[in-house]
Amino acid sequence: MKLPLLPDNLTLITRTWLGLFLLMGFFLLLPRLCHATRQVTLAWDANQETTVVGYRVFCRQASDGYNYSHPIWDSSATTCTLIGLDEYTDYAFVVRAYDDSGNRSADSQEVWFYGQTALPSQPEATSPGNNFSDLFLTPVLQTAVFTSPDPNDRHLQTQWVVTRVSDGLCVLDVTSSTCLTELDVPPLVLEENTQYSWVVRYTSVKGALSDWSSPSGFTTGESELDEDGNGIPDDQEVGMSIDLDNNGIADAEQNDLRCVNVFEGAGQIAVEAPAGSGVTRISAIESTDLTTIGAVDRLPFDLPLGLVSFRLEMEQVGGIARVQAYFSEPAPQTAKWLKYDMTNGWQDYSAHAVFAADRLSVEFEIQDGGFGDADGVANGIIIDPSGFGVATGAATPAEGDSHSLTGSSSPASSGGGGGGCFISTSTFWN
Ligand SMILES: [Ca+2]
Ligand SMILES: [Ca+2]
Ligand SMILES: [Ca+2]
């Protein structure tokens, strides 16, 4: 038995957009396609063997293999026109020759017919309503669902950008594949009595990028939990007896060190950024209510002093902060320095952190717009939620777990945090 040779020089010779007038019976309709928007003509050289009596064309999409029991075309001709191809889908084709004894050749070379890229529809900010005023400081931003002209495309990622209106400073620029239409703005990103503008854009699983949404604005209200405006929630301020860095000066009196009482706990945590640290000022610090992240008994880490969030104002945009945190109780030997943020979830930050031998402090580095900076942008400000924790063996909670714990309060109607996609929302600044 001698197999036919491969058909040679398979080419696409036309790529005509299909009009309704071309829908005539002698075209073969591709199976499984519902959007008859394109056609393609294939051609190849005739085999020289006199025994060859026909050719079969096979088609596949990128994610599939060829189904050799179902040719999409079968004839003695050496050209075929296929219609009914989806506008946005890529197709591959091969041809096989067969002879009068039923012998079949192997595949010709493969040719591709690429689809158009459909841009996702422009996203729309839905909540808070445009120009909403007196908004609390950890709002949930919400947008309309992803749509695309390509029915086979889906939502992959959303980029969220929040800008301070007075000077155009970008205060948040994060891209998330979990916070697709809802984002909880992390604590300390927003300041009180300040006007902001925000936009989003969507990326599809096929890699298409939408336009930016039309800008939506809001103005924050007062922070009633920091009446003296010193950047520490009043009910977390420490007494004069606390001196975690053991320098003989009450931590409450220091400018380069800020200390807080742990949220509903018995302990303190302080962050120090002295001269040479790359930081000009620790402008805010607060201990986080862990229940805003998820059920505490299901968190993947036990966090004896919780998480502390702080805002560093940097000497240089994009600079590296070298800071130290002090604890009222030693971190266990097995504890890691951890972060939790909306785009990365829980992160072991050990690569940038060194615990002291007595485990009462840790030195760590954060880069503005780089590693460890939760605002995602080089803007002269570092936003950092972190703390020491010991793995509990519990699985990392899914994003969805946090939703049920906090309800689904809307920023337009409630002062409560939650309902959205979290980094670590605090109740102190509502
Ligand atoms: Ca205060
Ligand atoms: Ca001190
Ligand atoms: Ca930053």
Side-chain angles (χ1 to χ4, degrees):
M1 179 183 78
K2 183 167 181 288
L3 295 179
L5 298 173
L6 310 183
D8 203 5
N9 291 327
L10 173 62
T11 53
L12 304 178
I13 59 172
T14 66
R15 300 179 171 207
T16 311
W17 291 98
L18 182 68
L20 284 176
F21 60 91
L22 286 174
L23 283 167
M24 293 182 286
F26 56 84
F27 292 107
L28 292 167
L29 197 62
L30 279 176
R32 303 187 331 197
L33 298 172
C34 54
H35 302 280
T37 53
R38 290 191 300 165
Q39 72 176 49
V40 64
T41 298
L42 306 172
W44 55 94
D45 294 345
N47 281 40
Q48 297 306 303
E49 307 102 306
T50 54
T51 53
V52 166
V53 294
Y55 304 91
R56 295 187 180 111
V57 174
F58 301 90
C59 175
R60 72 179 180 93
Q61 296 178 22
S63 56
D64 303 330
Y66 289 106
N67 181 349
Y68 293 110
S69 26
H70 289 97
I72 56 166
W73 183 91
D74 186 343
S75 168
S76 59
T78 57
T79 180
C80 74
T81 295
L82 306 168
I83 69 165
L85 283 80
D86 181 84
E87 181 178 0
Y88 304 109
T89 302
D90 299 336
Y91 298 96
F93 302 98
V94 292
V95 180
R96 289 180 159 191
Y98 60 92
D99 65 17
D100 50 11
S101 305
N103 300 312
R104 297 179 297 266
S105 77
D107 290 349
S108 69
Q109 95 271 16
E110 183 176 64
V111 293
W112 279 91
F113 185 44
Y114 293 104
Q116 303 291 307
T117 300
L119 297 185
S121 306
Q122 182 186 28
E124 181 191 354
T126 54
S127 180
N130 193 19
N131 297 324
F132 193 92
S133 60
D134 201 23
L135 193 64
F136 63 98
L137 295 178
T138 52
V140 184
L141 307 182
Q142 293 176 316
T143 59
V145 295
F146 173 96
T147 60
S148 168
D150 179 354
N152 295 317
D153 210 355
R154 288 178 292 107
H155 198 169
L156 177 69
Q157 287 181 329
T158 299
Q159 184 177 1
W160 304 83
V161 176
V162 181
T163 304
R164 190 164 68 195
V165 170
S166 61
D167 57 0
L169 181 77
C170 177
V171 296
L172 187 71
D173 184 347
V174 294
T175 299
S176 174
S177 55
T178 51
C179 306
L180 293 177
T181 58
E182 199 166 84
L183 179 81
D184 279 52
V185 177
L188 309 187
V189 167
L190 304 180
E191 298 170 89
E192 62 181 3
N193 298 320
T194 304
Q195 190 180 3
Y196 295 94
S197 175
W198 64 284
V199 291
V200 296
R201 64 178 174 182
Y202 294 160
T203 304
S204 78
V205 293
K206 291 187 176 179
L209 192 61
S210 76
D211 286 337
W212 289 103
S213 60
S214 296
S216 185
F218 61 84
T219 303
T220 52
E222 300 271 347
S223 168
E224 294 173 357
L225 293 150
D226 180 24
E227 295 282 357
D228 62 356
N230 70 346
I232 301 176
D234 299 341
D235 65 354
Q236 291 185 12
E237 300 205 20
V238 297
M240 296 300 284
S241 63
I242 301 297
D243 179 18
L244 292 192
D245 65 340
N246 234 353
N247 68 345
I249 303 172
D251 294 351
E253 302 269 275
Q254 284 179 250
N255 289 324
D256 60 354
L257 177 144
R258 314 295 302 274
C259 186
V260 289
N261 284 313
V262 171
F263 182 78
E264 290 186 353
Q268 295 82 35
I269 190 163
V271 174
E272 180 189 40
S277 64
V279 176
T280 52
R281 190 163 88 100
I282 305 170
S283 56
I285 182 170
E286 64 184 46
S287 175
T288 301
D289 176 1
L290 293 178
T291 62
T292 61
I293 296 175
V296 171
D297 60 355
R298 286 161 56 205
L299 294 182
F301 298 95
D302 179 33
L303 300 134
L305 295 180
L307 289 171
V308 64
S309 291
F310 49 92
R311 186 200 302 130
L312 307 178
E313 296 181 4
M314 301 294 294
E315 289 171 0
Q316 293 186 335
V317 170
I320 292 176
R322 295 176 180 85
V323 296
Q324 193 149 359
Y326 293 91
F327 321 128
S328 56
E329 62 182 80
Q333 288 297 326
T334 54
K336 308 276 191 191
W337 192 243
L338 303 166
K339 291 180 176 294
Y340 179 78
D341 73 43
M342 74 194 92
T343 47
N344 300 298
W346 289 97
Q347 303 160 71
D348 179 348
Y349 205 63
S350 301
H352 298 282
V354 179
F355 281 94
D358 62 7
R359 308 290 288 182
L360 280 166
S361 66
V362 63
E363 284 184 40
F364 55 104
E365 291 185 335
I366 316 162
Q367 184 175 28
D368 178 21
F371 51 86
D373 183 9
D375 69 20
V377 57
N379 58 354
I381 298 167
I382 284 175
I383 303 290
D384 180 55
S386 51
F388 67 78
V390 179
T392 60
T396 301
E399 287 293 344
D401 286 359
S402 59
H403 299 184
S404 59
L405 294 157
T406 53
S408 56
S409 51
S410 140
S413 61
S414 163
C421 197
F422 276 81
I423 166 169
S424 55
T425 341
S426 166
T427 56
F428 299 122
W429 291 71
N430 292 336

